[in-house]
Amino acid sequence: MAAGSCLLLLLLPSLVTASHSPPGCKIRITSKALDLVKQEGLRFVEQELHNITVSDLHGNEGQFQYNISQVKVTDLQLAFSDLNFQPQQHLVFNINNASISLRFRRQLLYWFFYDIGSINASADGVYIYTVLQLAKDEAGRLKISNMTCNASIARMHAGFSGTLRKVYEFLSTFIVTGMRFLLSQQICPSLEHASLVLLNSLLDTVPVRNYVDEHIGIDYSLLRDPSISTDTLDLDFKGMFFPRVREDQELQNHAVEPVIKETERMVYVAFSEYFFDSAMQSYFQAGVLTIELQGEKIPKDLEVLLRATFFGTIFMLSPSVDAPLQLVLQVSAPPRCIIKPSGTSVSVSAFLNISLVPPDRPPVQLSSMAMETKLSAKVFLQGKALRVQLDLRRFRIFSKQSALESLALFSLQAPLKTLLQLTIMPIINERTKKGVQIPLPEGMDFTREVVTNHAGFLTVGADLHFSKGLREVIEKYRPVPTATTYSSSWPAEPSV
């Protein structure tokens, strides 16, 4: 028994670590974003309530037979509303003192009198209280997992006209009471469908696991359910790149976990060193961190200097002295990203092989030198794309064979650095120009971005705006609706 307890104590730290993997990417949505979301959400709710379908109302009261049909919402006034966070996983949306205007068709049979027309009605003091529960689904995507709703109508009145107006006023109690009940019963099902089906189709547009280019992809799956306080909603994403040749590869995260403390902006996105390291390791494993220069791609001054440096070797290879030169720059290990409050840098180790390429003959290697560089990295957002601009900061070359040869290569230090700056760096920055998408729903973009460096991670604070309306995006991805038909037992024309 004691041995089993000791074993459990030894395994407990590893179990806790496994259940709380540090995120490579973290997103915080603050309460400042809720005002913007509420405005767009109100428009969406208003459009959904306009489409409420109310079944026909019919009945008998003595010699009176009445039927109410073709109920349509003509206007909504949703003046007082609120959207806020509720710990632990909830989003609360409520509407107070709203009004709904209706128009419906009336049919009345009283003895030998038959009356037909329309009625305008108004439901006042409409109260709607909804609680959305947010959770991670099996695919690692944020979803609305459950919804609770409560709706009520304080009062309802209808305006009657026509030859039997007095009769309708007599029956108004039955009609208005029935209509208030039917209408209040339709509000929550309509909003439940809007939340669990339509809004979830919007959340389906958030990228979870997709390809960045032909070489690598990224995993943005949620590690756990969202964490919600009264002022913030925090989402922990895996934030791991993977090579497409090994899509099931898992890179263990040993980086510092991002910590977001700010709440001044609508949203904050944090990226740890692991986020960038996994990208560079994936490119390295994909075998694309190699650049080959030959012929006109090598600056003429550098070619002359290289030929002068290796003149003895070239002369011994006669008659191939006039063979073109070839430079092959190959990264020897996955580059490493280092994020400090002072800035972001990338350390790269590589081999530079210099060879002659005689026509119709195998290349002849003149030298193979090691290269160590440090690149400064400027991280910025453009739209929803995270982009990196690299610049050469430090550079040195040395021989892998001997210190004497390293000394002989000293004269190549400055020309090769110029080659990297003018030829290699533009090629690398062209590859990083596209960037990678941040996991936000379609139609939502960043504005007023500010990048802040910390020890081991960086944060991007921004505000949000809707480049597309919720309705526009939802209609694009709307599931095929299932039509519901309500039948009426009232005859088209009564027989007298």
Side-chain angles (χ1 to χ4, degrees):
M1 185 73 174
S5 301
C6 291
L7 180 60
L8 181 61
L9 290 174
L10 290 173
L11 290 176
L12 189 58
S14 62
L15 292 175
V16 172
T17 302
S19 63
H20 189 81
S21 303
C25 172
K26 191 168 189 173
I27 292 183
R28 163 168 288 185
I29 300 173
T30 69
S31 56
K32 294 184 182 299
L34 294 184
D35 289 337
L36 176 69
V37 175
K38 184 184 72 173
Q39 294 172 12
E40 189 64 29
L42 271 177
R43 283 193 288 268
F44 174 66
V45 169
E46 188 174 329
Q47 292 164 349
E48 286 301 305
L49 293 181
H50 261 293
N51 297 325
I52 285 180
T53 302
V54 180
S55 57
D56 294 353
L57 176 66
H58 51 84
N60 299 308
E61 295 297 333
Q63 299 299 322
F64 296 100
Q65 299 181 46
Y66 62 89
N67 184 67
I68 303 299
S69 61
Q70 300 178 13
V71 181
K72 293 182 180 180
V73 176
T74 58
D75 186 44
L76 291 103
Q77 297 294 329
L78 310 178
F80 304 100
S81 61
D82 192 23
L83 178 66
N84 55 73
F85 296 124
Q86 184 186 79
Q88 301 287 325
Q89 297 170 231
H90 299 101
L91 195 62
V92 178
F93 180 60
N94 61 77
I95 298 173
N96 293 304
N97 202 25
S99 64
I100 303 176
S101 298
L102 304 171
R103 186 178 181 85
F104 47 87
R105 184 172 181 264
R106 72 174 188 264
Q107 291 173 290
L108 176 66
L109 179 63
Y110 176 63
W111 290 98
F112 299 103
F113 299 97
Y114 175 64
D115 185 53
I116 187 171
S118 61
I119 301 176
N120 294 320
S122 176
D124 298 320
V126 179
Y127 172 77
I128 305 172
Y129 183 83
T130 57
V131 179
L132 306 179
Q133 183 173 356
L134 305 177
K136 175 181 76 75
D137 68 2
E138 294 180 356
R141 180 179 275 110
L142 180 66
K143 282 297 182 69
I144 300 172
S145 60
N146 192 24
M147 173 189 171
T148 56
C149 176
N150 183 23
S152 62
I153 299 174
R155 55 196 174 276
M156 189 168 184
H157 58 85
F160 300 98
S161 61
T163 56
L164 298 180
R165 181 171 58 86
K166 294 295 184 181
V167 176
Y168 271 108
E169 289 176 353
F170 171 75
L171 295 173
S172 63
T173 302
F174 305 103
I175 297 174
V176 170
T177 302
M179 285 302 302
R180 186 175 69 173
F181 174 78
L182 291 176
L183 180 61
S184 62
Q185 291 297 304
Q186 292 299 318
I187 292 175
C188 282
S190 176
L191 296 182
E192 183 176 356
H193 176 265
S195 301
L196 299 181
V197 178
L198 302 184
L199 287 182
N200 274 337
S201 69
L202 174 70
L203 293 175
D204 282 337
T205 66
V206 177
V208 172
R209 188 178 176 91
N210 60 330
Y211 294 141
V212 177
D213 54 30
E214 64 270 23
H215 306 295
I216 67 171
I218 187 168
D219 189 336
Y220 270 133
S221 58
L222 281 171
L223 295 174
R224 55 193 66 88
D225 288 336
S227 175
I228 300 180
S229 69
T230 55
D231 298 316
T232 60
L233 182 153
D234 290 337
L235 301 168
D236 291 346
F237 297 92
K238 181 179 287 186
M240 183 197 75
F241 291 84
F242 57 86
R244 293 180 60 170
V245 293
R246 301 179 190 173
E247 293 195 15
D248 57 345
Q249 174 179 282
E250 288 285 338
L251 178 64
Q252 195 167 1
N253 187 352
H254 298 291
V256 174
E257 179 173 348
V259 178
I260 305 176
K261 298 180 180 179
E262 300 88 348
T263 57
E264 290 77 17
R265 297 296 184 95
M266 292 184 183
V267 64
Y268 290 89
V269 188
F271 303 94
S272 74
E273 293 174 344
Y274 170 81
F275 180 87
F276 301 99
D277 285 345
S278 66
M280 293 182 289
Q281 179 160 331
S282 297
Y283 275 122
F284 179 78
Q285 292 183 348
V288 296
L289 298 185
T290 300
I291 297 177
E292 180 180 310
L293 300 178
Q294 186 176 330
E296 296 180 355
K297 293 183 180 180
I298 302 176
K300 196 64 179 177
D301 294 343
L302 178 61
E303 182 179 0
V304 172
L305 183 59
L306 289 174
R307 288 184 181 275
T309 303
F310 302 105
F311 178 76
T313 306
I314 294 174
F315 183 77
M316 295 298 294
L317 295 172
S318 180
S320 301
V321 176
D322 294 331
L325 283 175
Q326 180 188 66
L327 304 184
V328 178
L329 180 63
Q330 183 175 6
V331 175
S332 57
R336 289 295 310 278
C337 176
I338 302 170
I339 303 176
K340 296 181 179 180
S342 58
T344 303
S345 61
V346 178
S347 297
V348 184
S349 298
F351 295 136
L352 178 61
N353 296 322
I354 304 174
S355 306
L356 282 175
V357 188
D360 303 324
R361 290 178 58 186
V364 179
Q365 183 171 298
L366 301 179
S367 177
S368 179
M369 60 189 76
M371 179 184 299
E372 291 182 354
T373 62
K374 181 164 284 190
L375 311 175
S376 62
K378 178 184 177 183
V379 181
F380 60 97
L381 271 181
Q382 190 167 5
K384 279 190 294 190
L386 181 73
R387 299 183 178 182
V388 180
Q389 180 78 24
L390 297 171
D391 189 25
L392 183 61
R393 196 165 74 186
R394 283 191 295 179
F395 168 80
R396 78 181 187 97
I397 56 173
F398 55 93
S399 173
K400 297 184 295 181
Q401 280 77 29
S402 67
L404 184 62
E405 187 175 356
S406 295
L407 184 62
L409 295 175
F410 184 77
S411 61
L412 295 176
Q413 184 92 11
L416 287 176
K417 184 176 181 180
T418 303
L419 173 71
L420 288 177
Q421 289 175 325
L422 300 180
T423 305
I424 306 299
M425 295 308 301
I427 296 176
I428 296 174
N429 283 322
E430 185 63 28
R431 292 182 179 179
T432 62
K433 184 178 180 180
K434 181 181 178 182
V436 61
Q437 296 295 309
I438 291 178
L440 276 184
E442 184 178 336
M444 187 177 290
D445 290 322
F446 295 105
T447 61
R448 301 175 59 237
E449 307 90 346
V450 175
V451 179
T452 306
N453 280 46
H454 305 272
F457 65 96
L458 60 84
T459 59
V460 181
D463 289 334
L464 295 171
H465 83 282
F466 285 92
S467 58
K468 297 179 181 178
L470 287 178
R471 173 63 54 186
E472 181 182 353
V473 178
I474 287 173
E475 288 297 334
K476 182 178 178 181
Y477 298 98
R478 175 190 282 270
V480 178
T482 301
T484 303
T485 303
Y486 297 98
S487 59
S488 173
S489 59
W490 190 266
E493 291 292 338
S495 57
V496 180

